[in-house]
Amino acid sequence: MKKTLILSIMVLACLMAKAQENSSRGYRGYADLGYTIGVGYYDLNSFEISTTHGYQLSSYFFIGAGVGFHFMQEYKTPDMNIPMDIRDSKVSIPFYVDFRGTFGKRRVAPFVDLKLGYFVTNGDAFYSHISAGVRIRTVEKQAVTIGIGGSYESLRFETFDQFVSPGLNMDYSRTPQNYYLDGVAIKVGYEF
């Protein structure tokens, strides 16, 4: 058992060393433009700009961190005199970790990307985005990326609470409430 474990570790170390020789390891950066279309009950759309920086572990795997700027439209519950939920037009800023896998070293190669993080503005909370697409190499260590994916986010709304005065007066109060929203996103980026 002990000999098998030592032999396995030695073989794995040799394979990793060989993979490191052939990989393009080191710093890598990404800049992305995207548009998310809200789906489900809250159809809240957003235009997004993000940048990610990190370390290319091998030709296939990247890990990094980034920040985004999500320009979100105003939202009011449709077809109601007093909307149940409202959200002003806002810029929400998520910080996230990014895991990316690229499948192949060819000029055009597929990739998958997972971003997990937290919004730091407007009382928003959880942020996640997963996508798949193609990476098109332009010059050495640079590429254009095109991806489609989904987002799952916790955003803060002002929600109808109660009427605050009796009679015909329609004064009411609102309380902040976070809701989870889904979206379908299209992103175009540049890798450097």
Side-chain angles (χ1 to χ4, degrees):
M1 173 77 172
K2 202 175 195 181
K3 289 180 184 180
T4 305
L5 179 61
I6 291 171
L7 182 61
S8 298
I9 291 171
M10 289 175 56
V11 168
L12 185 59
C14 291
L15 289 173
M16 288 175 66
K18 183 66 177 168
Q20 290 175 5
E21 284 176 19
N22 298 328
S23 69
S24 54
R25 295 169 51 118
Y27 167 80
R28 182 67 44 109
Y30 296 90
D32 293 310
L33 291 175
Y35 192 79
T36 297
I37 301 164
V39 296
Y41 183 74
Y42 296 96
D43 55 354
L44 188 61
N45 301 334
S46 66
F47 173 74
E48 302 165 5
I49 299 170
S50 63
T51 182
T52 306
H53 303 271
Y55 193 78
Q56 189 73 38
L57 298 170
S58 71
S59 296
Y60 305 102
F61 301 108
F62 166 85
I63 186 168
V67 61
F69 298 91
H70 296 203
F71 302 90
M72 298 184 181
Q73 68 187 32
E74 177 182 89
Y75 178 84
K76 290 183 180 179
T77 307
D79 303 324
M80 298 185 80
N81 292 334
I82 300 174
M84 294 300 292
D85 301 310
I86 61 171
R87 180 180 166 93
D88 293 333
S89 177
K90 298 181 186 254
V91 177
S92 292
I93 301 174
F95 284 93
Y96 55 84
V97 294
D98 188 7
F99 306 94
R100 182 177 289 231
T102 304
F103 304 100
K105 297 181 185 180
R106 293 169 289 169
R107 184 175 177 277
V108 177
F111 73 87
V112 293
D113 185 69
L114 173 65
K115 292 175 175 65
L116 297 172
Y118 199 83
F119 285 101
V120 295
T121 55
N122 307 319
D124 300 334
F126 181 72
Y127 167 74
S128 68
H129 178 81
I130 187 165
S131 63
V134 293
R135 175 187 185 270
I136 305 164
R137 189 173 62 236
T138 55
V139 294
E140 186 179 338
K141 293 191 177 186
Q142 295 184 19
V144 172
T145 58
I146 302 167
I148 187 166
S151 65
Y152 186 66
E153 306 168 342
S154 174
L155 302 178
R156 174 75 51 101
F157 288 79
E158 294 296 320
T159 302
F160 178 85
D161 186 29
Q162 64 183 358
F163 288 105
V164 293
S165 58
L168 298 175
N169 192 342
M170 297 295 282
D171 293 338
Y172 56 90
S173 64
R174 292 190 174 276
T175 56
Q177 179 75 38
N178 280 44
Y179 295 120
Y180 283 97
L181 283 73
D182 298 315
V184 175
I186 298 169
K187 292 196 176 195
V188 176
Y190 196 73
E191 175 183 328
F192 52 94

